[in-house]
Amino acid sequence: MPVIDPATAPRGEGSRYPAPFDAPCRARHWLKLGDAAGLTQFGVNLVTLPPGTWSSQRHWHAHEDEFVWVLEGEVVLVTDAGEQRLRAGDSAGFKAGSRDGHCLQNRSQAAVQLLVVGSRNDADYGEYPDIDLKYLPGRYSGGGGYVHKDGTPY
Amino acid sequence: MPVIDPATAPRGEGSRYPAPFDAPCRARHWLKLGDAAGLTQFGVNLVTLPPGTWSSQRHWHAHEDEFVWVLEGEVVLVTDAGEQRLRAGDSAGFKAGSRDGHCLQNRSQAAVQLLVVGSRNDADYGEYPDIDLKYLPGRYSGGGGYVHKDGTPY
C-alpha cells in the first residue's frame, strides 16, 4: 500500500561524523518515509531535532539537490549569508553544486520537525566549510565515508 | 538565498487534460517551491485543492517516484486497493513503474494543502487506468503530451 505507516517506517538516529563533529547531531532522529514506500530516486526523511540539536554540520552537495520544509518549531538556517530563522511553513532549497554550505540548528527549547528531501546520486560528494571534513563519492554503493580535506582518513 | 519566498515562487493552476478530464482538476493551484530554489533533480509543489477538487486523474508514472505529504485538510486517496482518507501529517509514496494508479480527491468542505515531490525524468510516461488517456515521454524537453490509449492525438 502506498500510504506510509510511521509505526513501521525504517528509523535512523545519531551521527556517523568523526568525533567531535558528531556531538551537536547525536540526538537527531528520523523516519525514512521514502524508503518505507520503496522510493529510490530521492529520499524523504521526517527529521526530529530535540532542543540544542543540529540537522548536520554545515555542508554542501556536489551532485544532489536538497529541500527542507519546516513542519514544527523554529530552526536557525546557517549559510554563507549568515543566519535566518525558519518556522512552520517555511522552506528552503539547496541546489546541487552550489558551494554555499548549510545546516539547521535548533536553538529553541522545543523540538523541531522537518521534512527533508534529497536526490540520490552515488557520484555525490561534499565538503564542510567550517571544519576539516569532506565526504567521498560512493555512499549508496558501500563506499563513501568521511576524510580530512587533504584526503587522509579519520 | 536558499530560503524560498512564497510571494515570488512561480505558480501553476488548472489542468491541461483534454476535456472533459480537466473538469475535476481545474480549480487546483500550486507554488513551485523546488523551481523557486533552482532545483532540477526533483520538483516540490505546494498544492492547494479547493473543496471538490482532485490533484489529478488517477495515474501512474513509468519512471518517476512521487511522494505526497498532507499539510492541511482531509483528502481521499484512490488506488486499485480502494479509498483511504489522509489527514494532516499523513503521507504516501508512489514508486516508479508500479502500475497502481493514484489520485487525491478533496471531497470535504475545506481546502486541502499538499506537499508533492516528484523526480524529473524526461523518459517518463504514464497511463490513466480509469479513462482513455495516456501521456508520452518528453514533457521536460518540449515533447510529451496527452493521447488516447491507442496513440491517436486529442
Short mmCIF file of all heavy atoms in Angstrom, two decimals, chain B residues 8-63:
data_model
loop_
_atom_site.label_atom_id
_atom_site.label_comp_id
_atom_site.label_asym_id
_atom_site.label_seq_id
_atom_site.Cartn_x
_atom_site.Cartn_y
_atom_site.Cartn_z
N THR B 8 7.14 35.16 -4.28
CA THR B 8 7.77 35.27 -5.60
C THR B 8 7.97 33.91 -6.29
O THR B 8 8.49 33.87 -7.40
CB THR B 8 9.14 35.97 -5.49
OG1 THR B 8 9.97 35.21 -4.61
CG2 THR B 8 8.99 37.38 -4.93
N ALA B 9 7.59 32.82 -5.61
CA ALA B 9 7.75 31.50 -6.23
C ALA B 9 6.85 31.40 -7.46
O ALA B 9 5.73 31.93 -7.46
CB ALA B 9 7.39 30.41 -5.22
N PRO B 10 7.31 30.70 -8.52
CA PRO B 10 6.45 30.51 -9.69
C PRO B 10 5.18 29.74 -9.32
O PRO B 10 5.20 28.91 -8.42
CB PRO B 10 7.31 29.69 -10.65
CG PRO B 10 8.65 29.52 -10.03
CD PRO B 10 8.63 30.07 -8.66
N ARG B 11 4.09 30.07 -10.01
CA ARG B 11 2.79 29.47 -9.70
C ARG B 11 2.26 28.67 -10.87
O ARG B 11 2.61 28.94 -12.01
CB ARG B 11 1.78 30.58 -9.36
CG ARG B 11 2.03 31.20 -8.02
CD ARG B 11 1.37 32.56 -7.83
NE ARG B 11 1.86 33.13 -6.58
CZ ARG B 11 1.25 33.02 -5.40
NH1 ARG B 11 0.09 32.40 -5.32
NH2 ARG B 11 1.77 33.52 -4.30
N GLY B 12 1.40 27.73 -10.55
CA GLY B 12 0.69 26.98 -11.59
C GLY B 12 -0.76 26.86 -11.19
O GLY B 12 -1.10 26.98 -10.01
N GLU B 13 -1.62 26.60 -12.17
CA GLU B 13 -3.04 26.42 -11.85
C GLU B 13 -3.72 25.69 -12.99
O GLU B 13 -3.25 25.69 -14.12
CB GLU B 13 -3.73 27.77 -11.61
CG GLU B 13 -3.67 28.66 -12.82
CD GLU B 13 -4.44 29.97 -12.61
OE1 GLU B 13 -5.13 30.11 -11.60
OE2 GLU B 13 -4.34 30.85 -13.49
N GLY B 14 -4.86 25.07 -12.63
CA GLY B 14 -5.68 24.46 -13.66
C GLY B 14 -5.19 23.11 -14.11
O GLY B 14 -4.50 22.40 -13.36
N SER B 15 -5.52 22.74 -15.34
CA SER B 15 -5.20 21.41 -15.86
C SER B 15 -5.09 21.48 -17.38
O SER B 15 -5.84 22.20 -18.02
CB SER B 15 -6.31 20.43 -15.49
OG SER B 15 -6.15 19.23 -16.21
N ARG B 16 -4.15 20.71 -17.93
CA ARG B 16 -4.02 20.61 -19.38
C ARG B 16 -4.64 19.34 -19.92
O ARG B 16 -4.47 19.01 -21.09
CB ARG B 16 -2.54 20.66 -19.78
CG ARG B 16 -1.92 22.00 -19.49
CD ARG B 16 -0.47 22.03 -19.97
NE ARG B 16 0.19 23.26 -19.55
CZ ARG B 16 1.48 23.51 -19.68
NH1 ARG B 16 2.27 22.59 -20.22
NH2 ARG B 16 1.99 24.65 -19.28
N TYR B 17 -5.32 18.58 -19.06
CA TYR B 17 -6.00 17.38 -19.57
C TYR B 17 -7.00 17.80 -20.65
O TYR B 17 -7.68 18.83 -20.52
CB TYR B 17 -6.80 16.70 -18.46
CG TYR B 17 -6.01 16.06 -17.36
CD1 TYR B 17 -6.48 16.13 -16.05
CD2 TYR B 17 -4.84 15.36 -17.59
CE1 TYR B 17 -5.80 15.52 -15.00
CE2 TYR B 17 -4.15 14.76 -16.55
CZ TYR B 17 -4.62 14.84 -15.27
OH TYR B 17 -3.96 14.25 -14.23
N PRO B 18 -7.15 16.96 -21.69
CA PRO B 18 -8.22 17.24 -22.66
C PRO B 18 -9.58 17.12 -21.97
O PRO B 18 -9.78 16.27 -21.11
CB PRO B 18 -8.03 16.15 -23.72
CG PRO B 18 -7.19 15.08 -23.08
CD PRO B 18 -6.37 15.74 -22.02
N ALA B 19 -10.54 17.98 -22.37
CA ALA B 19 -11.90 17.94 -21.83
C ALA B 19 -12.51 16.59 -22.16
O ALA B 19 -12.24 16.05 -23.25
CB ALA B 19 -12.74 19.07 -22.43
N PRO B 20 -13.30 15.97 -21.31
CA PRO B 20 -13.80 16.54 -20.05
C PRO B 20 -12.94 16.20 -18.83
O PRO B 20 -13.34 16.45 -17.72
CB PRO B 20 -15.17 15.85 -19.91
CG PRO B 20 -14.91 14.46 -20.46
CD PRO B 20 -13.89 14.64 -21.57
N PHE B 21 -11.74 15.60 -19.07
CA PHE B 21 -10.95 15.08 -17.96
C PHE B 21 -10.36 16.20 -17.09
O PHE B 21 -9.93 15.97 -15.96
CB PHE B 21 -9.83 14.17 -18.47
CG PHE B 21 -10.32 13.07 -19.37
CD1 PHE B 21 -9.68 12.78 -20.57
CD2 PHE B 21 -11.43 12.31 -19.02
CE1 PHE B 21 -10.14 11.77 -21.41
CE2 PHE B 21 -11.90 11.29 -19.85
CZ PHE B 21 -11.26 11.02 -21.05
N ASP B 22 -10.32 17.41 -17.64
CA ASP B 22 -9.78 18.54 -16.86
C ASP B 22 -10.75 19.03 -15.79
O ASP B 22 -10.32 19.66 -14.81
CB ASP B 22 -9.44 19.69 -17.81
CG ASP B 22 -10.66 20.19 -18.59
OD1 ASP B 22 -11.63 19.41 -18.75
OD2 ASP B 22 -10.65 21.35 -19.03
N ALA B 23 -12.05 18.70 -15.94
CA ALA B 23 -13.07 19.33 -15.09
C ALA B 23 -12.79 19.24 -13.59
O ALA B 23 -12.79 20.26 -12.89
CB ALA B 23 -14.46 18.77 -15.43
N PRO B 24 -12.50 18.04 -13.04
CA PRO B 24 -12.33 17.98 -11.57
C PRO B 24 -11.02 18.59 -11.08
O PRO B 24 -10.85 18.74 -9.86
CB PRO B 24 -12.36 16.46 -11.27
CG PRO B 24 -12.04 15.79 -12.56
CD PRO B 24 -12.49 16.70 -13.66
N CYS B 25 -10.12 18.94 -12.00
CA CYS B 25 -8.79 19.44 -11.62
C CYS B 25 -8.62 20.92 -11.91
O CYS B 25 -7.56 21.50 -11.61
CB CYS B 25 -7.71 18.66 -12.34
SG CYS B 25 -7.80 16.88 -12.07
N ARG B 26 -9.63 21.56 -12.49
CA ARG B 26 -9.45 22.94 -12.95
C ARG B 26 -9.15 23.94 -11.86
O ARG B 26 -8.45 24.92 -12.08
CB ARG B 26 -10.71 23.41 -13.68
CG ARG B 26 -10.60 23.22 -15.17
CD ARG B 26 -11.72 23.98 -15.88
NE ARG B 26 -12.28 23.15 -16.91
CZ ARG B 26 -13.57 23.09 -17.22
NH1 ARG B 26 -14.44 23.82 -16.55
NH2 ARG B 26 -13.97 22.32 -18.19
N ALA B 27 -9.67 23.68 -10.65
CA ALA B 27 -9.51 24.67 -9.56
C ALA B 27 -8.22 24.47 -8.75
O ALA B 27 -7.92 25.24 -7.85
CB ALA B 27 -10.72 24.61 -8.62
N ARG B 28 -7.45 23.44 -9.07
CA ARG B 28 -6.20 23.21 -8.32
C ARG B 28 -5.20 24.32 -8.65
O ARG B 28 -5.16 24.83 -9.76
CB ARG B 28 -5.62 21.82 -8.64
CG ARG B 28 -5.14 21.68 -10.06
CD ARG B 28 -4.71 20.25 -10.41
NE ARG B 28 -4.19 20.23 -11.78
CZ ARG B 28 -3.77 19.17 -12.44
NH1 ARG B 28 -3.82 17.96 -11.87
NH2 ARG B 28 -3.29 19.24 -13.67
N HIS B 29 -4.37 24.66 -7.67
CA HIS B 29 -3.28 25.61 -7.94
C HIS B 29 -2.11 25.29 -7.03
O HIS B 29 -2.26 24.62 -6.01
CB HIS B 29 -3.75 27.06 -7.80
CG HIS B 29 -4.40 27.40 -6.51
ND1 HIS B 29 -3.72 27.98 -5.46
CD2 HIS B 29 -5.67 27.25 -6.07
CE1 HIS B 29 -4.55 28.17 -4.45
NE2 HIS B 29 -5.75 27.74 -4.78
N TRP B 30 -0.92 25.74 -7.43
CA TRP B 30 0.27 25.32 -6.69
C TRP B 30 1.40 26.33 -6.82
O TRP B 30 1.47 27.10 -7.78
CB TRP B 30 0.73 23.94 -7.17
CG TRP B 30 1.06 23.82 -8.62
CD1 TRP B 30 2.27 23.94 -9.21
CD2 TRP B 30 0.13 23.54 -9.69
NE1 TRP B 30 2.18 23.76 -10.55
CE2 TRP B 30 0.89 23.52 -10.87
CE3 TRP B 30 -1.25 23.31 -9.76
CZ2 TRP B 30 0.31 23.27 -12.13
CZ3 TRP B 30 -1.83 23.07 -11.00
CH2 TRP B 30 -1.05 23.04 -12.16
N LEU B 31 2.26 26.30 -5.79
CA LEU B 31 3.51 27.06 -5.79
C LEU B 31 4.65 26.09 -6.13
O LEU B 31 4.75 25.03 -5.51
CB LEU B 31 3.78 27.67 -4.42
CG LEU B 31 2.91 28.83 -3.99
CD1 LEU B 31 3.39 29.32 -2.62
CD2 LEU B 31 3.02 29.96 -5.00
N LYS B 32 5.50 26.50 -7.05
CA LYS B 32 6.62 25.64 -7.48
C LYS B 32 7.83 25.93 -6.61
O LYS B 32 8.74 26.69 -6.98
CB LYS B 32 6.92 25.88 -8.96
CG LYS B 32 5.69 25.62 -9.86
CD LYS B 32 5.99 25.98 -11.32
CE LYS B 32 4.75 25.79 -12.18
NZ LYS B 32 4.98 26.18 -13.60
N LEU B 33 7.83 25.32 -5.41
CA LEU B 33 8.87 25.64 -4.43
C LEU B 33 10.25 25.20 -4.90
O LEU B 33 11.25 25.91 -4.73
CB LEU B 33 8.55 24.98 -3.09
CG LEU B 33 7.21 25.37 -2.45
CD1 LEU B 33 7.04 24.62 -1.12
CD2 LEU B 33 7.12 26.87 -2.22
N GLY B 34 10.32 23.99 -5.46
CA GLY B 34 11.62 23.49 -5.93
C GLY B 34 12.18 24.37 -7.03
O GLY B 34 13.36 24.74 -7.01
N ASP B 35 11.34 24.72 -7.99
CA ASP B 35 11.78 25.61 -9.07
C ASP B 35 12.25 26.95 -8.51
O ASP B 35 13.23 27.53 -9.00
CB ASP B 35 10.63 25.88 -10.06
CG ASP B 35 10.31 24.66 -10.92
OD1 ASP B 35 11.02 23.65 -10.83
OD2 ASP B 35 9.33 24.73 -11.68
N ALA B 36 11.56 27.44 -7.49
CA ALA B 36 11.93 28.73 -6.89
C ALA B 36 13.35 28.71 -6.37
O ALA B 36 14.06 29.72 -6.39
CB ALA B 36 10.95 29.10 -5.77
N ALA B 37 13.79 27.53 -5.89
CA ALA B 37 15.14 27.40 -5.34
C ALA B 37 16.14 26.93 -6.40
O ALA B 37 17.30 26.70 -6.07
CB ALA B 37 15.12 26.41 -4.17
N GLY B 38 15.69 26.79 -7.64
CA GLY B 38 16.60 26.38 -8.70
C GLY B 38 16.87 24.89 -8.75
O GLY B 38 17.78 24.44 -9.45
N LEU B 39 16.07 24.10 -8.04
CA LEU B 39 16.27 22.65 -8.06
C LEU B 39 15.80 22.08 -9.40
O LEU B 39 14.81 22.55 -9.96
CB LEU B 39 15.50 21.98 -6.92
CG LEU B 39 15.76 22.52 -5.51
CD1 LEU B 39 15.09 21.63 -4.47
CD2 LEU B 39 17.23 22.69 -5.22
N THR B 40 16.52 21.08 -9.90
CA THR B 40 16.17 20.47 -11.19
C THR B 40 16.02 18.96 -11.11
O THR B 40 15.47 18.35 -12.03
CB THR B 40 17.27 20.76 -12.24
OG1 THR B 40 18.51 20.21 -11.76
CG2 THR B 40 17.44 22.25 -12.47
N GLN B 41 16.51 18.33 -10.03
CA GLN B 41 16.52 16.87 -9.97
C GLN B 41 15.19 16.30 -9.50
O GLN B 41 14.87 15.15 -9.76
CB GLN B 41 17.67 16.41 -9.08
CG GLN B 41 19.02 16.86 -9.64
CD GLN B 41 20.17 16.57 -8.72
OE1 GLN B 41 19.99 16.16 -7.58
NE2 GLN B 41 21.37 16.78 -9.21
N PHE B 42 14.45 17.11 -8.76
CA PHE B 42 13.08 16.74 -8.40
C PHE B 42 12.28 18.03 -8.29
O PHE B 42 12.83 19.11 -8.09
CB PHE B 42 13.02 15.91 -7.10
CG PHE B 42 13.73 16.52 -5.92
CD1 PHE B 42 13.12 17.48 -5.14
CD2 PHE B 42 15.01 16.11 -5.60
CE1 PHE B 42 13.78 18.04 -4.04
CE2 PHE B 42 15.68 16.66 -4.51
CZ PHE B 42 15.06 17.63 -3.73
N GLY B 43 10.97 17.89 -8.43
CA GLY B 43 10.07 19.02 -8.23
C GLY B 43 9.44 18.95 -6.86
O GLY B 43 9.21 17.85 -6.34
N VAL B 44 9.19 20.10 -6.25
CA VAL B 44 8.44 20.17 -4.99
C VAL B 44 7.36 21.23 -5.20
O VAL B 44 7.68 22.40 -5.41
CB VAL B 44 9.31 20.57 -3.79
CG1 VAL B 44 8.48 20.53 -2.51
CG2 VAL B 44 10.53 19.69 -3.66
N ASN B 45 6.10 20.81 -5.15
CA ASN B 45 5.00 21.75 -5.32
C ASN B 45 4.14 21.79 -4.06
O ASN B 45 3.83 20.75 -3.48
CB ASN B 45 4.13 21.35 -6.51
CG ASN B 45 4.82 21.59 -7.84
OD1 ASN B 45 5.66 22.49 -7.96
ND2 ASN B 45 4.49 20.79 -8.84
N LEU B 46 3.78 23.00 -3.66
CA LEU B 46 2.82 23.20 -2.57
C LEU B 46 1.46 23.36 -3.24
O LEU B 46 1.16 24.40 -3.82
CB LEU B 46 3.21 24.45 -1.77
CG LEU B 46 2.25 24.86 -0.66
CD1 LEU B 46 2.12 23.76 0.39
CD2 LEU B 46 2.73 26.16 -0.01
N VAL B 47 0.66 22.29 -3.17
CA VAL B 47 -0.57 22.20 -3.95
C VAL B 47 -1.78 22.51 -3.07
O VAL B 47 -1.90 21.97 -1.96
CB VAL B 47 -0.72 20.78 -4.54
CG1 VAL B 47 -2.05 20.64 -5.28
CG2 VAL B 47 0.45 20.45 -5.46
N THR B 48 -2.67 23.36 -3.56
CA THR B 48 -3.93 23.64 -2.88
C THR B 48 -5.08 23.05 -3.70
O THR B 48 -5.18 23.29 -4.91
CB THR B 48 -4.15 25.15 -2.72
OG1 THR B 48 -3.05 25.69 -1.97
CG2 THR B 48 -5.45 25.45 -1.98
N LEU B 49 -5.91 22.25 -3.02
CA LEU B 49 -7.12 21.69 -3.64
C LEU B 49 -8.33 22.31 -2.96
O LEU B 49 -8.67 21.93 -1.83
CB LEU B 49 -7.17 20.17 -3.46
CG LEU B 49 -6.01 19.34 -3.99
CD1 LEU B 49 -6.24 17.85 -3.69
CD2 LEU B 49 -5.81 19.56 -5.48
N PRO B 50 -9.01 23.23 -3.61
CA PRO B 50 -10.27 23.75 -3.05
C PRO B 50 -11.29 22.60 -2.92
O PRO B 50 -11.11 21.54 -3.54
CB PRO B 50 -10.72 24.79 -4.09
CG PRO B 50 -9.49 25.16 -4.85
CD PRO B 50 -8.66 23.91 -4.89
N PRO B 51 -12.33 22.80 -2.13
CA PRO B 51 -13.34 21.74 -1.97
C PRO B 51 -13.83 21.23 -3.32
O PRO B 51 -14.07 22.02 -4.24
CB PRO B 51 -14.47 22.45 -1.20
CG PRO B 51 -13.77 23.50 -0.41
CD PRO B 51 -12.64 23.99 -1.28
N GLY B 52 -13.92 19.91 -3.46
CA GLY B 52 -14.41 19.31 -4.69
C GLY B 52 -13.36 19.06 -5.74
O GLY B 52 -13.66 18.49 -6.80
N THR B 53 -12.13 19.46 -5.47
CA THR B 53 -11.08 19.40 -6.50
C THR B 53 -10.19 18.17 -6.32
O THR B 53 -9.94 17.74 -5.21
CB THR B 53 -10.24 20.68 -6.43
OG1 THR B 53 -11.11 21.80 -6.57
CG2 THR B 53 -9.20 20.73 -7.53
N TRP B 54 -9.71 17.64 -7.44
CA TRP B 54 -8.80 16.49 -7.44
C TRP B 54 -7.38 16.98 -7.76
O TRP B 54 -7.19 17.93 -8.52
CB TRP B 54 -9.18 15.47 -8.51
CG TRP B 54 -10.56 14.88 -8.39
CD1 TRP B 54 -11.53 15.19 -7.49
CD2 TRP B 54 -11.11 13.87 -9.25
NE1 TRP B 54 -12.65 14.44 -7.71
CE2 TRP B 54 -12.42 13.61 -8.79
CE3 TRP B 54 -10.63 13.16 -10.35
CZ2 TRP B 54 -13.26 12.67 -9.40
CZ3 TRP B 54 -11.45 12.22 -10.96
CH2 TRP B 54 -12.76 11.98 -10.48
N SER B 55 -6.40 16.24 -7.21
CA SER B 55 -4.99 16.54 -7.52
C SER B 55 -4.69 16.22 -8.98
O SER B 55 -3.82 16.85 -9.61
CB SER B 55 -4.07 15.69 -6.64
OG SER B 55 -4.30 14.30 -6.88
N SER B 56 -5.37 15.20 -9.51
CA SER B 56 -5.11 14.72 -10.87
C SER B 56 -6.18 13.69 -11.18
O SER B 56 -6.95 13.30 -10.32
CB SER B 56 -3.73 14.03 -10.94
OG SER B 56 -3.74 12.86 -10.12
N GLN B 57 -6.22 13.24 -12.43
CA GLN B 57 -6.90 11.99 -12.72
C GLN B 57 -6.02 10.85 -12.19
O GLN B 57 -4.81 11.01 -12.02
CB GLN B 57 -7.12 11.83 -14.23
CG GLN B 57 -8.10 12.84 -14.81
CD GLN B 57 -9.56 12.48 -14.57
OE1 GLN B 57 -9.87 11.40 -14.06
NE2 GLN B 57 -10.46 13.37 -14.91
N ARG B 58 -6.62 9.71 -11.93
CA ARG B 58 -5.86 8.59 -11.39
C ARG B 58 -4.84 8.14 -12.44
O ARG B 58 -5.20 7.90 -13.60
CB ARG B 58 -6.83 7.45 -11.02
CG ARG B 58 -6.22 6.45 -10.07
CD ARG B 58 -7.32 5.68 -9.35
NE ARG B 58 -7.86 4.61 -10.16
CZ ARG B 58 -7.36 3.36 -10.20
NH1 ARG B 58 -6.30 3.04 -9.47
NH2 ARG B 58 -7.92 2.44 -10.95
N HIS B 59 -3.56 8.06 -12.04
CA HIS B 59 -2.47 7.84 -12.98
C HIS B 59 -1.33 7.09 -12.31
O HIS B 59 -1.23 7.04 -11.10
CB HIS B 59 -1.93 9.19 -13.48
CG HIS B 59 -1.19 9.94 -12.41
ND1 HIS B 59 -1.85 10.56 -11.34
CD2 HIS B 59 0.12 10.13 -12.18
CE1 HIS B 59 -0.96 11.11 -10.54
NE2 HIS B 59 0.24 10.86 -11.00
N TRP B 60 -0.43 6.56 -13.13
CA TRP B 60 0.85 6.04 -12.64
C TRP B 60 1.97 6.54 -13.54
O TRP B 60 1.74 6.94 -14.69
CB TRP B 60 0.86 4.51 -12.54
CG TRP B 60 0.41 3.75 -13.76
CD1 TRP B 60 -0.81 3.17 -13.96
CD2 TRP B 60 1.17 3.47 -14.95
NE1 TRP B 60 -0.86 2.57 -15.18
CE2 TRP B 60 0.35 2.72 -15.81
CE3 TRP B 60 2.47 3.77 -15.37
CZ2 TRP B 60 0.76 2.28 -17.07
CZ3 TRP B 60 2.90 3.34 -16.62
CH2 TRP B 60 2.05 2.60 -17.45
N HIS B 61 3.19 6.56 -12.96
CA HIS B 61 4.39 7.01 -13.67
C HIS B 61 5.30 5.81 -13.96
O HIS B 61 5.58 5.01 -13.06
CB HIS B 61 5.21 7.98 -12.82
CG HIS B 61 4.55 9.29 -12.57
ND1 HIS B 61 4.65 10.34 -13.43
CD2 HIS B 61 3.80 9.71 -11.53
CE1 HIS B 61 3.97 11.37 -12.93
NE2 HIS B 61 3.45 11.02 -11.78
N ALA B 62 5.79 5.72 -15.17
CA ALA B 62 6.71 4.62 -15.52
C ALA B 62 8.08 4.80 -14.88
O ALA B 62 8.70 3.84 -14.44
CB ALA B 62 6.85 4.53 -17.04
N HIS B 63 8.57 6.04 -14.82
CA HIS B 63 9.98 6.24 -14.44
C HIS B 63 10.18 7.29 -13.34
O HIS B 63 11.32 7.68 -13.09
CB HIS B 63 10.80 6.65 -15.67
CG HIS B 63 10.87 5.60 -16.72
ND1 HIS B 63 11.36 4.34 -16.48
CD2 HIS B 63 10.48 5.60 -18.02
CE1 HIS B 63 11.30 3.62 -17.59
NE2 HIS B 63 10.75 4.36 -18.53
#
